[in-house]
Amino acid sequence: DIQMTQSPSSLSVSVGDRVTITCRATLRIGTYLSWYQQKPGKAPNLLIYAASTLQSGVPSRFSGSGSGTDFTLTITSLQPEDVATYFCQQSYIVPWTFGQGTKVEIK
Amino acid sequence: QVQLQESGPGLVKPSETLVLTCTVSGGSISIYYWAWIRQSPGKGLEWIGNIYYSGSTNYNPSLRSRVTISVDTSKNQFSLKLSSVTAADTAVYYCARGSTIPHDIWGRGTLVTVSS
């Protein structure tokens, strides 16, 4: 299986700060990488697919980049409603696998 | 607007078979593929498998011997069967839709507890 490793596991930031989350795959996956946001008690919500394509309806402060094994999710100016856990997922090889998650909190 | 809703028992006894159904409303089950994903505190998000509307399936090798995913296009539903369950199968189970965009629509999730 392809292992997806996210860092950091958690971070505490101020409103308006820039947030960067990284995801590393154990095998090259091209751009078969998605990012999800999950709020407590809710299902994950797709933010980014194909590494850098913003899903319809997602605010433009979210962006994704990377290819191969290293990927980044960036929130340019954190808003209170962005408090959540963020997951990456590869869809290059079955079984599709997720990162362990990054919990974002407000300082 | 397409919506997905999981249904099934919230409590399953050890060694029995877990059966969940996902009903797709607001759109056709055809054209896309449909997935099951679960989430437990100990293992995070785990992709169980998916099925294309044609019936073609992919399963997580770690669960393949116990998993069956099927689709009923006449009812706009797809189902998950997981046999010989143990406490390790306790999780929130989600159904989700995919196309060229992986998992763009998810159900709310249903908690399944394995306990006698």
Side-chain angles (χ1 to χ4, degrees), chain B residues 82-114:
Chain B
L82 182 64
S83 63
S84 305
V85 297
T86 69
D89 295 309
T90 293
V92 175
Y93 286 76
Y94 295 101
C95 59
R97 186 184 82 167
S99 59
T100 53
I101 305 174
H103 306 150
D104 60 339
I105 298 176
W106 295 60
R108 289 186 171 184
T110 186
L111 174 63
V112 178
T113 302
V114 178

Side-chain angles (χ1 to χ4, degrees), chain A residues 39-57:
Chain A
K39 297 182 179 180
K42 301 292 187 182
N45 179 52
L46 178 67
L47 298 176
I48 302 279
Y49 63 95
S52 61
T53 303
L54 195 67
Q55 171 68 342
S56 176

Side-chain angles (χ1 to χ4, degrees), chain A residues 1 33-34 36 38 41-46 49-50 55 87-89 91 93-100, chain B residues 33 37 39 44-47 50 52 58-62 64 94 99-104 106-109:
Chain A
D1 297 3
L33 191 285
S34 302
Y36 300 87
Q38 186 177 34
K42 301 292 187 182
N45 179 52
L46 178 67
Y49 63 95
Q55 171 68 342
F87 296 92
C88 61
Q89 182 205 16
S91 54
I93 290 179
V94 168
W96 296 1
T97 46
F98 293 86
Q100 81 280 12
Chain B
Y33 63 81
I37 297 157
Q39 185 172 32
L45 286 163
E46 183 177 28
W47 181 85
N50 63 20
Y52 288 77
N58 292 294
Y59 296 134
N60 191 320
S62 68
R64 180 177 285 133
Y94 295 101
S99 59
T100 53
I101 305 174
H103 306 150
D104 60 339
W106 295 60
R108 289 186 171 184

Side-chain angles (χ1 to χ4, degrees), chain A residues 43-107:
Chain A
N45 179 52
L46 178 67
L47 298 176
I48 302 279
Y49 63 95
S52 61
T53 303
L54 195 67
Q55 171 68 342
S56 176
V58 175
S60 59
R61 62 180 179 273
F62 292 93
S63 65
S65 64
S67 66
T69 60
D70 294 304
F71 302 87
T72 300
L73 173 69
T74 300
I75 309 172
T76 53
S77 177
L78 188 80
Q79 300 302 302
E81 60 267 30
D82 300 334
V83 169
T85 300
Y86 294 83
F87 296 92
C88 61
Q89 182 205 16
Q90 65 83 17
S91 54
Y92 182 64
I93 290 179
V94 168
W96 296 1
T97 46
F98 293 86
Q100 81 280 12
T102 296
K103 188 173 184 178
V104 176
E105 298 175 321
I106 299 290
K107 190 180 296 183

Side-chain angles (χ1 to χ4, degrees), chain B residues 15-18 63 65-68 81-86 89:
Chain B
S15 80
E16 294 189 344
T17 297
L18 177 163
L63 299 168
S65 64
R66 300 193 292 129
V67 170
T68 302
K81 291 184 180 180
L82 182 64
S83 63
S84 305
V85 297
T86 69
D89 295 309

